[in-house]
Amino acid sequence: MKKTSYALLALISGLLVATPCAAQGKDAANCKDHPLLTRITDYWIQSCTLKQFDAYAFMVSKGKPVQVEGQYTNIRYQPPAGLATKPSTLQVLRNVENAVKQVGGTSWQPIQARKH
């Protein structure tokens, strides 16, 4: 169950880190960084959803979803408005993947990154 939770965390959190710019703000109320992941410098938390138990369907191949159950964490980060160079989606994914591996989770390969 623990590895499943980390994989779910990785997909949900990692893909949403590099979202488009908005006005600079303070972290959303009752939101904080997940202890496994390091926030990108100067980014702030726009919103978060935390659920003790939920399900999420990962697309692992064409038309083949795999539903995973466990703790659900979704943290949406925003970059500062004046940031000249933003990290790539791949950089964000590797950051999350490395954090998951450090705690014994398994590697995953997303089929398609969501863009916002």
Side-chain angles (χ1 to χ4, degrees), residues 11 28-30 32 42 49 63 69 76 81-82 88-89 99 103 111 113 115:
L11 182 69
N30 301 315
K32 62 181 180 178
D42 296 327
T49 303
E69 296 178 349
R76 288 180 168 249
S88 68
T89 299
V103 295
I111 299 299
K115 294 192 178 189

Side-chain angles (χ1 to χ4, degrees), residues 9-76:
L9 165 74
L11 182 69
I12 303 304
S13 298
L15 296 179
L16 299 174
V17 174
T19 55
C21 269
Q24 180 69 31
K26 295 181 181 179
D27 287 348
N30 301 315
C31 294
K32 62 181 180 178
D33 295 309
H34 191 279
L36 292 179
L37 302 174
T38 303
R39 182 188 302 209
I40 296 173
T41 304
D42 296 327
Y43 276 53
W44 53 278
I45 298 174
Q46 177 190 32
S47 63
C48 65
T49 303
L50 309 170
K51 296 179 182 179
Q52 289 299 316
F53 189 80
D54 205 349
Y56 187 85
F58 288 90
M59 294 302 291
V60 295
S61 65
K62 294 180 183 178
K64 303 271 184 179
V66 172
Q67 187 160 318
V68 177
E69 296 178 349
Q71 183 178 355
Y72 176 89
T73 301
N74 178 321
I75 303 171
R76 288 180 168 249

